[in-house]
Amino acid sequence: YYFPCQRWLAVEEDDGQIVRELVPVDEAFVKKDPANEGQSPATLGLEQKAKSTTYTVKVKTGDKKNAGTDANVFITLYGSKDDTGIVSLKASKINKNKFERGKVDEFTVESVDIGDLKKIKIGHDNKGNSTGWFLEWVEIDAPSLGQCLKFPCGRWLDKSEDDGAIARIIFPAELQTVEYIPFVPYEITVYTSDIFGAGTDADVFIVLYGSDGICTQQKSLCLNKREQRMYFERNSVNQFIVELEDVGDIIEKIRIGHNGAGVNSGWHLNRVKIRRLLPNGK
């Protein structure tokens, strides 16, 4: 079995995860075979993304006295087929200090297919100075499934409050479930020109347009400012696997640009290449 990764396991890199689930791939992807020259690591990334589910997990800490926690928080997602195992919520995309009073934190959880999401378990290890936590709710969005579920809690996870539990199993509120058209993964390769001053540190975004006026949301290609500094350098090729709305089999045009922020934000773009897997897997 071959389990390629080619991703960071680091709080300050990529999506902040320090544990990853990997799916096995054909041996041809790993061993360089002249007959399979077209199967690049990028192809692999696109296929792996199509086999996995990325969840955006939002966590709301209650607006009560001492509601925040310094403990290490974990979550497990339980589906109809499987569960994610224990996932540490280490890198909030919104706040440097996580789980503060009245704040919403956002995390990324990636997993192989666990089926329809049925319940979650969330809790903490009770370590640190201020451990007690009042959890208002958890919201889990799975673009590839076209579903966003709300898990209301409104209780303490504190050994000296409520029933003393520091972990709880929570079920989704059916009336608050939002369904939409599922997203699909796209492989976007961006080529920056080889001329003086071609690179940019600005926030680069893209929009894809299909037939019949269908288009995706505007999506930033970089996850953070550090990636903005690393990517889009002169004469560079940068590849991104992103989930966006399905615009159909034909992409009629794209809109790509940046926010103009930073020193020397001007960018000389050479070309963009986009691939996606069609429903038959090609």
Side-chain angles (χ1 to χ4, degrees):
Y1 293 85
Y2 292 87
F3 296 88
C5 183
Q6 297 170 357
R7 301 273 302 273
W8 282 99
L9 284 79
V11 171
E12 70 281 356
E13 301 279 3
D14 203 338
D15 58 9
Q17 292 298 300
I18 56 171
V19 178
R20 296 199 180 280
E21 287 193 356
L22 305 177
V23 293
V25 300
D26 191 271
E27 184 178 348
F29 278 111
V30 182
K31 294 194 171 179
K32 295 196 176 188
D33 183 344
N36 290 291
E37 282 181 350
Q39 295 179 326
S40 67
T43 312
L44 166 66
L46 191 61
E47 293 214 336
Q48 281 191 318
K49 190 68 172 176
K51 290 179 183 176
S52 67
T53 305
T54 302
Y55 300 93
T56 297
V57 178
K58 290 184 178 179
V59 180
K60 171 71 185 293
T61 300
D63 192 7
K64 290 177 176 282
K65 187 179 179 183
N66 300 323
T69 185
D70 295 330
N72 297 302
V73 174
F74 65 85
I75 192 169
T76 303
L77 279 54
Y78 295 88
S80 55
K81 299 179 185 175
D82 202 352
D83 64 72
T84 60
I86 295 172
V87 178
S88 296
L89 299 181
K90 289 207 171 272
S92 172
K93 292 183 179 179
I94 301 173
N95 305 304
K96 192 169 183 183
N97 292 325
K98 313 180 292 288
F99 311 120
E100 295 290 306
R101 173 178 175 174
K103 296 289 180 67
V104 175
D105 290 288
E106 186 177 311
F107 305 87
T108 299
V109 174
E110 203 166 60
S111 167
V112 295
D113 182 21
I114 61 170
D116 294 332
L117 193 52
K118 298 296 185 183
K119 64 182 180 180
I120 63 171
K121 182 177 182 181
I122 188 166
H124 61 78
D125 62 1
N126 206 43
K127 291 180 180 175
N129 296 324
S130 173
T131 58
W133 184 35
F134 190 88
L135 173 62
E136 196 71 56
W137 48 256
V138 177
E139 182 184 278
I140 299 180
D141 188 18
S144 65
L145 304 178
Q147 211 173 49
C148 183
L149 295 92
K150 194 78 165 271
F151 295 80
C153 181
R155 294 182 68 179
W156 286 97
L157 284 77
D158 189 339
K159 286 197 169 179
S160 59
E161 296 278 357
D162 203 335
D163 59 1
I166 57 171
R168 297 195 182 280
I169 290 176
I170 315 173
F171 294 88
E174 287 186 19
L175 294 176
Q176 291 180 279
T177 298
V178 177
E179 308 239 351
Y180 54 91
I181 297 171
F183 284 29
V184 296
Y186 291 89
E187 173 200 290
I188 299 173
T189 309
V190 180
Y191 299 80
T192 299
S193 303
D194 185 15
I195 63 172
F196 179 74
T200 184
D201 291 337
D203 185 13
V204 173
F205 62 81
I206 195 167
V207 182
L208 312 185
Y209 292 84
S211 55
D212 302 323
I214 302 170
C215 71
T216 68
Q217 61 181 279
Q218 182 170 302
K219 176 78 172 181
S220 290
L221 294 178
C222 293
L223 293 171
N224 51 49
K225 282 193 162 65
R226 188 176 178 283
E227 287 192 358
Q228 290 172 30
R229 291 193 297 271
M230 285 171 53
Y231 300 146
F232 312 118
E233 296 294 302
R234 174 179 174 174
N235 196 30
S236 66
V237 180
N238 301 118
Q239 205 147 54
F240 307 88
I241 308 289
V242 296
E243 285 184 323
L244 290 168
E245 294 90 341
D246 188 349
V247 297
D249 295 353
I250 297 171
I251 299 174
E252 292 199 338
K253 65 177 181 178
I254 66 170
R255 186 163 65 91
I256 188 166
H258 60 76
N259 65 350
V263 181
N264 301 323
S265 62
W267 182 37
H268 199 285
L269 172 63
N270 186 302
R271 65 189 189 276
V272 178
K273 183 172 77 174
I274 298 177
R275 292 179 62 250
R276 62 160 291 190
L277 294 174
L278 294 177
N280 63 6
K282 292 184 180 178

